[in-house]
Amino acid sequence: MSDPNLETLASPGAGRGNADVAVELAWKMARLHGTPAYVYCATALEDRSRELLGVLPRSAAPRLLYSFKANPLPSLTAELRSAGCEADLTSPGELAAARAAGFDLSRALYGGPGKGVEEYDAAIAGGVRHFSIESRTDLRRLSSAAADRACQVKVLLRINPHAAPKAKLAMSGVASQFGFEEDELRSQGPEILREAGEQVDIVGFHLYWGTQIGEVEALLASFEKTVEIADELTTILGMDLQILNLGGGFAWPYAHAGAAADLAALRDGLERLHAGAGPSRQAQWWFESGRYLAGSSGTLVARVMELKRSKEDRWFLILDTGIHHLGGMAGLGRIPRFSIDLLPQRVVSVGNRITVDVVGPLCTPLDCLAKKLEIPTLEPGDLVAIPNVGAYGATASVVAFLSRPAPVEILHRGGEVIAVHHLRTGHEPLS
Ligand SMILES: Cc1ncc(COP(=O)(O)O)c(C=O)c1O
């Protein structure tokens, strides 16, 4: 455990689960394996899976798919598989990770825009049988790959709805590269079904409204809208609806301490929705989650390299981690800048606080994890932890930028190491 002569801060607002214990164990793991380290707690993965599976409507024979884009680490995903999740995949790399983690690929869903015949061919050869299809071009390519392999596959048509549900959602019903336009399906649905080809059974719909939907009411409103659209389209297309993928968007704090709202109230709402549904009632209901399932499991432990003053009154806390390990796309201005909670292991002097920009070792001012964060005064060598980064951490960052080493990634249960990895970076010669 932690050094006995150091004072350890409890994580603020730790909330559901045992976040304080998780951070304690993260210090221990980082001491064993060095920093920067992503430390993942298997118990948190089990807890979140149980919670989410527990609110899905039993009468709808639900499936919970883990979105590998959140974190494809094979040992971590294997824990989610053992906890009852299936795989939501979007790339050959995720497919390889799911195979390595022992997922039954015939129960996985493979989707995302811009896929070629070769990619579909490889997925079919790899055992995938369910595809979420985003356009007519996509459908033709899958049909061609399935025909070449003489393999029957099932397709969910992804819908880009034309209007958002009444509840306030940040993203939905907007122009995007994702899915068939709802109106296109209404007007040309039967034609699309005919185009599918002999080897392709169109069995369902897929609708993903967006991420970080924090309120139970907003989640329910989005699911209600999905069922309404699916009911109508099933009738228009004259389909035998077997699978309705309602997506998710289940929230979890990112890089901040705390926990998501309790989802227990969702259970009754979803059961009611299922009981009152039209044709969607016959279908299996599938749900997807990345951040809710994986977010809470991960803590990024870093080391303070320097506390540096610039000009009169600006202070920079320089860590051995930065945007190449966490939130890189935010650092590069690709998505809105985010901030972090920083949990110091040691309080050098209680009450002696300082306001800093938290930065990393990259040679660019973009390498900034937080601005104007008030922290206790720290010294080089001190450890700090960033909580709730099990999803959209290392693989969602610009790991190859400046060719610095990838962080070590450690999965443990109760302090017993299950697996240690790190992402490969650098160039391999092709000839
Ligand atoms: C289609 C789809 N499904 C699932 C997810 C996972 O979302 P989250 O990690 O918020 O659960 C995403 C995220 O972008 C997505 O685009």
Side-chain angles (χ1 to χ4, degrees), residues 13-55:
R16 199 162 63 248
N18 42 9
D20 295 350
V21 177
V23 174
E24 274 302 318
L25 292 171
W27 304 131
K28 175 182 167 184
M29 294 292 124
R31 255 204 255 289
L32 286 175
H33 296 281
T35 63
Y38 271 98
V39 180
Y40 305 109
C41 166
T43 316
L45 297 166
E46 289 156 4
D47 290 348
R48 297 296 89 76
S49 306
R50 196 179 47 252
E51 285 161 14
L52 209 44
L53 282 163
V55 300

XYZ file of all heavy atoms in Angstrom, residues 13-55:
321
model
N -15.718 13.245 -3.725
C -16.982 12.817 -4.325
C -16.900 11.442 -4.952
O -17.394 11.227 -6.046
N -16.243 10.512 -4.267
C -15.984 9.209 -4.879
C -17.256 8.498 -5.329
O -17.253 7.777 -6.311
C -15.213 8.327 -3.927
N -18.362 8.685 -4.650
C -19.635 8.147 -5.117
C -19.713 6.637 -5.069
O -19.036 5.987 -4.277
N -20.568 6.082 -5.977
C -20.815 4.642 -5.984
C -19.519 3.865 -6.229
O -18.630 4.334 -6.899
C -21.802 4.333 -7.106
C -22.463 3.034 -6.960
C -23.702 2.914 -7.799
N -23.480 2.986 -9.225
C -23.898 3.991 -9.979
N -24.504 5.010 -9.432
N -23.714 3.974 -11.263
N -19.453 2.652 -5.698
C -18.248 1.853 -5.857
C -17.250 2.250 -4.784
O -17.540 3.033 -3.900
N -16.051 1.668 -4.884
C -15.068 1.995 -3.859
C -13.879 2.693 -4.496
O -12.789 2.164 -4.593
C -14.650 0.741 -3.093
C -14.448 -0.422 -4.039
O -14.473 -0.221 -5.254
N -14.232 -1.595 -3.509
N -14.149 3.933 -4.933
C -13.150 4.675 -5.694
C -11.893 4.958 -4.881
O -10.791 4.948 -5.418
C -13.761 5.978 -6.206
N -12.047 5.173 -3.582
C -10.867 5.450 -2.759
C -9.922 4.249 -2.758
O -8.709 4.396 -2.887
C -11.277 5.751 -1.316
C -12.099 7.028 -1.235
O -12.178 7.742 -2.241
O -12.657 7.292 -0.156
N -10.520 3.080 -2.620
C -9.712 1.863 -2.608
C -9.043 1.695 -3.971
O -7.869 1.354 -4.073
C -10.597 0.624 -2.292
C -9.782 -0.661 -2.349
C -11.255 0.792 -0.936
N -9.813 1.984 -5.030
C -9.261 1.847 -6.386
C -8.040 2.742 -6.559
O -7.034 2.329 -7.133
C -10.328 2.195 -7.422
N -8.110 3.970 -6.039
C -6.973 4.883 -6.186
C -5.793 4.392 -5.346
O -4.647 4.418 -5.785
C -7.382 6.335 -5.836
C -6.181 7.265 -5.854
C -8.414 6.844 -6.830
N -6.084 3.889 -4.148
C -5.015 3.316 -3.311
C -4.284 2.207 -4.059
O -3.059 2.134 -4.055
C -5.612 2.725 -2.016
C -5.798 3.714 -0.891
C -4.496 4.396 -0.502
O -3.453 3.716 -0.432
O -4.520 5.613 -0.291
N -5.077 1.333 -4.685
C -4.466 0.211 -5.407
C -3.712 0.707 -6.637
O -2.704 0.116 -7.033
C -5.535 -0.814 -5.798
C -6.151 -1.565 -4.603
C -7.341 -2.397 -5.036
C -5.106 -2.436 -3.913
N -4.195 1.802 -7.219
C -3.500 2.361 -8.388
C -2.099 2.839 -8.001
O -1.134 2.634 -8.730
C -4.315 3.502 -8.991
N -1.966 3.451 -6.802
C -0.616 3.858 -6.352
C 0.287 2.632 -6.285
O 1.425 2.640 -6.721
C -0.636 4.487 -4.951
C -1.522 5.666 -4.699
C -2.392 5.811 -3.665
C -1.597 6.893 -5.450
N -3.009 7.030 -3.731
C -2.533 7.722 -4.822
C -0.963 7.357 -6.594
C -2.859 8.980 -5.281
C -1.273 8.605 -7.065
C -2.210 9.411 -6.418
N -0.284 1.587 -5.707
C 0.520 0.373 -5.499
C 0.992 -0.183 -6.845
O 2.158 -0.522 -7.024
C -0.331 -0.664 -4.751
C 0.343 -2.000 -4.590
C -0.564 -2.999 -3.885
C 0.006 -4.399 -4.032
N -0.861 -5.420 -3.458
N 0.065 -0.248 -7.805
C 0.403 -0.805 -9.115
C 1.466 0.046 -9.805
O 2.384 -0.462 -10.429
C -0.850 -0.844 -10.010
C -1.922 -1.796 -9.547
S -1.374 -3.492 -9.698
C -1.620 -4.029 -8.027
N 1.319 1.384 -9.678
C 2.276 2.280 -10.336
C 3.653 2.142 -9.697
O 4.676 2.259 -10.368
C 1.777 3.714 -10.263
N 3.680 1.882 -8.423
C 4.970 1.679 -7.759
C 5.663 0.426 -8.293
O 6.862 0.380 -8.463
C 4.752 1.533 -6.262
C 5.154 2.748 -5.506
C 5.480 2.353 -4.098
N 4.392 2.762 -3.229
C 4.157 4.029 -2.938
N 4.872 4.988 -3.470
N 3.188 4.337 -2.123
N 4.846 -0.597 -8.575
C 5.414 -1.856 -9.074
C 5.874 -1.733 -10.518
O 6.873 -2.317 -10.903
C 4.349 -2.969 -9.009
C 4.005 -3.527 -7.638
C 2.864 -4.521 -7.753
C 5.239 -4.204 -7.045
N 5.091 -1.008 -11.339
C 5.336 -1.047 -12.786
C 5.782 0.275 -13.376
O 5.992 0.365 -14.576
C 4.066 -1.538 -13.502
C 3.713 -2.939 -13.132
N 4.342 -4.026 -13.681
C 2.823 -3.425 -12.235
C 3.837 -5.132 -13.152
N 2.924 -4.790 -12.265
N 5.899 1.302 -12.578
C 6.379 2.590 -13.075
C 5.253 3.468 -13.588
O 4.099 3.045 -13.692
N 5.607 4.706 -13.918
C 4.633 5.672 -14.450
C 5.130 6.151 -15.808
O 6.321 6.026 -16.089
C 4.479 6.880 -13.520
O 5.732 7.565 -13.438
C 3.985 6.477 -12.151
N 4.225 6.705 -16.613
C 2.780 6.788 -16.402
C 2.133 5.420 -16.564
O 2.570 4.618 -17.376
C 2.325 7.745 -17.501
C 3.492 7.920 -18.422
C 4.705 7.342 -17.822
N 1.070 5.201 -15.791
C 0.417 3.896 -15.806
C -1.097 4.062 -15.797
O -1.640 4.787 -14.952
C 0.840 3.091 -14.581
N -1.744 3.405 -16.739
C -3.189 3.238 -16.646
C -3.427 2.000 -15.783
O -2.958 0.909 -16.121
C -3.809 2.996 -18.028
C -4.197 4.270 -18.732
C -3.362 4.840 -19.682
C -5.413 4.897 -18.455
C -3.724 6.024 -20.335
C -5.778 6.071 -19.099
C -4.940 6.626 -20.032
O -5.305 7.788 -20.663
N -4.119 2.186 -14.686
C -4.392 1.061 -13.792
C -5.894 0.780 -13.847
O -6.704 1.683 -13.574
C -3.955 1.396 -12.349
C -4.230 0.221 -11.429
C -2.469 1.768 -12.325
N -6.250 -0.425 -14.234
C -7.663 -0.790 -14.394
C -8.068 -1.790 -13.324
O -7.347 -2.768 -13.078
C -7.911 -1.423 -15.768
C -7.472 -0.586 -16.927
C -6.360 -0.954 -17.680
C -8.153 0.576 -17.278
C -5.942 -0.198 -18.763
C -7.742 1.346 -18.354
C -6.633 0.947 -19.097
O -6.226 1.702 -20.162
N -9.233 -1.565 -12.776
C -9.733 -2.409 -11.691
C -10.837 -3.328 -12.238
O -11.881 -2.855 -12.706
C -10.265 -1.483 -10.602
S -11.263 -2.296 -9.388
N -10.596 -4.641 -12.185
C -11.547 -5.607 -12.752
C -12.883 -5.577 -12.007
O -13.952 -5.787 -12.596
C -10.947 -7.007 -12.707
N -12.824 -5.300 -10.704
C -14.065 -5.282 -9.926
C -15.012 -4.194 -10.422
O -16.234 -4.393 -10.471
C -13.744 -5.032 -8.431
O -12.630 -5.842 -8.097
C -14.903 -5.370 -7.544
N -14.446 -3.048 -10.796
C -15.298 -1.959 -11.316
C -15.972 -2.395 -12.617
O -17.138 -2.061 -12.865
C -14.465 -0.703 -11.537
N -15.244 -3.149 -13.446
C -15.835 -3.617 -14.712
C -17.018 -4.542 -14.419
O -18.075 -4.451 -15.061
C -14.787 -4.366 -15.538
C -13.585 -3.519 -15.985
C -12.455 -4.410 -16.492
C -13.994 -2.524 -17.066
N -16.838 -5.417 -13.427
C -17.928 -6.327 -13.049
C -19.113 -5.555 -12.485
O -20.270 -5.830 -12.823
C -17.436 -7.340 -11.993
C -16.483 -8.371 -12.537
C -15.586 -8.961 -11.440
O -15.766 -8.619 -10.248
O -14.703 -9.743 -11.800
N -18.819 -4.590 -11.633
C -19.905 -3.817 -10.994
C -20.735 -3.065 -12.033
O -21.959 -3.087 -12.013
C -19.335 -2.801 -9.985
C -18.760 -3.474 -8.756
O -19.001 -4.688 -8.586
O -18.071 -2.792 -7.973
N -20.042 -2.381 -12.963
C -20.769 -1.586 -13.969
C -21.564 -2.507 -14.899
O -22.680 -2.176 -15.288
C -19.801 -0.738 -14.808
C -18.990 0.315 -14.071
C -19.811 1.426 -13.449
N -20.230 1.123 -12.108
C -19.443 1.172 -11.033
N -18.198 1.527 -11.121
N -19.928 0.878 -9.835
N -21.004 -3.657 -15.248
C -21.735 -4.587 -16.128
C -22.997 -5.069 -15.432
O -24.077 -5.117 -16.036
C -20.890 -5.811 -16.469
O -19.672 -5.423 -17.007
N -22.854 -5.423 -14.166
C -24.016 -5.925 -13.409
C -25.090 -4.846 -13.330
O -26.271 -5.110 -13.553
C -23.572 -6.380 -12.019
C -24.579 -7.245 -11.308
C -24.124 -7.704 -9.941
N -23.571 -6.619 -9.140
C -22.279 -6.479 -8.862
N -21.398 -7.350 -9.285
N -21.858 -5.461 -8.140
N -24.655 -3.610 -13.054
C -25.630 -2.506 -12.941
C -26.390 -2.309 -14.252
O -27.613 -2.178 -14.259
C -24.916 -1.205 -12.588
C -24.453 -1.109 -11.151
C -23.375 -0.042 -10.961
O -23.169 0.799 -11.863
O -22.733 -0.073 -9.894
N -25.645 -2.279 -15.334
C -26.285 -1.979 -16.624
C -27.153 -3.147 -17.085
O -28.294 -2.946 -17.528
C -25.204 -1.634 -17.651
C -25.574 -0.680 -18.770
C -26.375 0.507 -18.270
C -24.317 -0.186 -19.485
N -26.618 -4.359 -16.956
C -27.429 -5.531 -17.337
C -28.708 -5.576 -16.498
O -29.768 -5.970 -16.983
C -26.627 -6.821 -17.140
C -25.598 -7.115 -18.247
C -24.580 -8.149 -17.779
C -26.286 -7.588 -19.524
N -28.592 -5.118 -15.253
C -29.718 -5.182 -14.328
C -30.875 -4.259 -14.679
O -31.994 -4.460 -14.201
N -30.643 -3.231 -15.490
C -31.746 -2.304 -15.818
C -32.347 -2.578 -17.196
O -33.318 -1.930 -17.589
C -31.331 -0.812 -15.734
C -30.867 -0.468 -14.337
C -30.265 -0.461 -16.763
